[in-house]
Amino acid sequence: MSVAPIGKDLLGLEHLSAEQIQLILDTAGPFKDVSLRAIKKVPTLRGMTIVNLFFEASTRTRISFEFAEKRLSADTVNVATSGSSVQKGETLVDTARNLEAMKIDMVVIRHGASGAPKFLAERIASNVINAGDGTHEHPTQGLLDMLTLRDRWGSLAGRRVCICGDVLHSRVARSNIWGLKKMGAEVAVCGPRSLLPNAIDQLGVHVFSRIEEAIEWAEALNILRLQLERMQGGYIPSLREYNRVFGVTRERLERAPRDVIVMHPGPMNRGVEIDSDVADGPHSVILDQVTNGVAIRMAVLYLLAGGRPELADAAKGS
Ligand code: CP
């Protein structure tokens, strides 16, 4: 396989350049059109085999990768912990090496352990794409969030985005911070001190402790899910209290000095970090994020496959 313009693997946005991020966002454009056609399929990755290894629950990312692969004509196999030999104690590397023995080309992996995709990428020849690892990164989510904002604004440079809520446990927050800052945006975080990482200001972000201040400052809010499954207790007094102090509500948005774009990576805790009339309201681009996820994942798959011009022609012309 030829050397890809974004490298062999996509493990995170921390180590991508602004030019590489720009390339992925630009490449997603033509792929968006594929999903609008009556026949949503191009032969771009015909003959390639991609394994989706999902060791943590997922709706959007898993299905979106599968649609992206199928729309590019790749052959796909889905492996989950349940029903696989992982349940019998097989290691991640043994699982991947056995899959490679069946001549696969790429692995898309979601794993509860931060660093699992990198660990795998160093040990197998196939391209590895991180579909979310522990609290580390979720690069394709960061990319689809940036594409959604770029669709609205034309450019991310100088724009103000606040990431709100459970930043401590959020791989989405980390990918957004790395990506947005590289693209010239100003980034802030807002949440209770217990849900912000200790050294968060060292990432070059503004820190707000009041949601009202964040809403006054921001042009876009990316509202994070409270990851209750990663909390051992003691982070917040109660869900009701969290909503009262940090919830993004219609009343709070109405006091904003400008129209604020509302984003959420999903799945949402309605009535906790975001109220339903905000999630479903006129400022929300939450379903646009989901639509853009397919195009971003098509772009990443295409670029990792080598980004060869004849593949791009196939995407445009078929
Ligand atoms: N945004 C996101 O990662 O959603 P899923 O957990 O449903 O994939």
Side-chain angles (χ1 to χ4, degrees):
M1 194 175 289
S2 58
V3 177
I6 58 169
K8 170 184 164 283
D9 311 296
L10 179 67
L11 303 178
L13 301 189
E14 180 179 0
H15 301 295
L16 286 191
S17 65
E19 291 71 27
Q20 288 172 315
I21 291 173
Q22 181 87 28
L23 176 65
I24 298 170
L25 300 182
D26 290 346
T27 305
F31 286 125
K32 267 206 232 194
D33 298 339
V34 173
S35 294
L36 296 174
R37 296 179 192 167
I39 298 173
K40 300 172 181 54
K41 213 170 181 75
V42 289
T44 310
L45 297 187
R46 188 155 51 200
M48 291 192 71
T49 305
I50 303 175
V51 176
N52 301 312
L53 278 180
F54 275 73
F55 294 146
E56 259 195 351
S58 169
T59 297
R60 278 146 291 271
T61 311
R62 183 178 56 79
I63 293 172
S64 170
F65 264 112
E66 200 174 340
F67 274 138
E69 292 153 5
K70 286 185 181 345
R71 287 176 192 180
L72 292 172
S73 303
D75 296 315
T76 68
V77 178
N78 297 319
V79 180
T81 310
S82 163
S84 76
S85 289
V86 174
Q87 275 191 315
K88 300 178 193 164
E90 186 167 64
T91 67
L92 176 60
V93 169
D94 279 340
T95 299
R97 285 189 180 143
N98 277 274
L99 294 167
E100 280 208 311
M102 297 182 229
K103 307 301 172 201
I104 61 168
D105 298 290
M106 290 191 192
V107 175
V108 176
I109 176 169
R110 167 165 290 194
H111 203 285
S114 301
K118 182 169 188 286
F119 180 82
L120 198 59
E122 289 167 351
R123 286 162 179 81
I124 64 173
S126 307
N127 307 102
V128 175
I129 303 176
N130 179 3
D133 61 329
T135 60
H136 172 232
E137 280 224 40
H138 191 348
T140 55
Q141 180 71 44
L143 289 162
L144 72 88
D145 289 345
M146 285 191 279
L147 181 62
T148 305
L149 290 173
R150 204 182 71 161
D151 286 348
R152 294 286 167 131
W153 291 334
S155 162
L156 298 169
R159 295 295 190 158
R160 297 193 302 277
V161 181
C162 185
I163 300 165
C164 305
D166 185 359
V167 180
L168 182 67
H169 298 106
S170 178
R171 51 200 178 206
V172 174
R174 282 164 188 75
S175 289
N176 266 272
I177 291 169
W178 290 120
L180 285 165
K181 285 188 60 67
K182 280 171 200 271
M183 300 312 285
E186 274 193 73
V187 183
V189 295
C190 175
R193 196 61 243 185
S194 58
L195 291 178
L196 299 180
N198 279 335
I200 188 72
D201 40 354
Q202 287 172 22
L203 292 181
V205 297
H206 307 275
V207 180
F208 293 112
S209 53
R210 294 185 62 242
I211 192 69
E212 292 82 3
E213 288 173 349
I215 292 173
E216 195 176 326
W217 176 86
E219 296 173 274
L221 301 174
N222 201 341
I223 304 161
L224 302 173
R225 180 174 70 89
L226 271 191
Q227 297 196 34
L228 300 168
E229 74 279 16
R230 295 191 210 273
M231 295 185 194
Q232 302 301 314
Y235 287 90
I236 53 167
S238 69
L239 297 183
R240 195 173 147 160
E241 181 74 357
Y242 183 85
N243 178 258
R244 193 180 66 76
V245 179
F246 285 100
V248 179
T249 61
R250 184 164 51 82
E251 294 72 26
R252 285 188 166 128
L253 272 191
E254 279 171 357
R255 287 199 285 273
R258 67 189 72 76
D259 276 350
V260 179
I261 295 173
V262 170
M263 311 173 80
H264 193 303
M268 290 184 273
N269 294 309
R270 288 174 181 261
V272 181
E273 69 267 3
I274 187 169
D275 280 4
S276 275
D277 46 7
V278 173
D280 304 326
H283 300 285
S284 171
V285 295
I286 292 169
L287 293 178
D288 296 330
Q289 291 172 260
V290 178
T291 302
N292 280 340
V294 178
I296 280 291
R297 288 165 182 133
M298 290 171 87
V300 167
L301 293 165
Y302 159 71
L303 289 168
L304 287 180
R308 299 191 299 273
E310 68 272 22
L311 298 184
D313 290 346
K316 286 186 200 123
S318 303

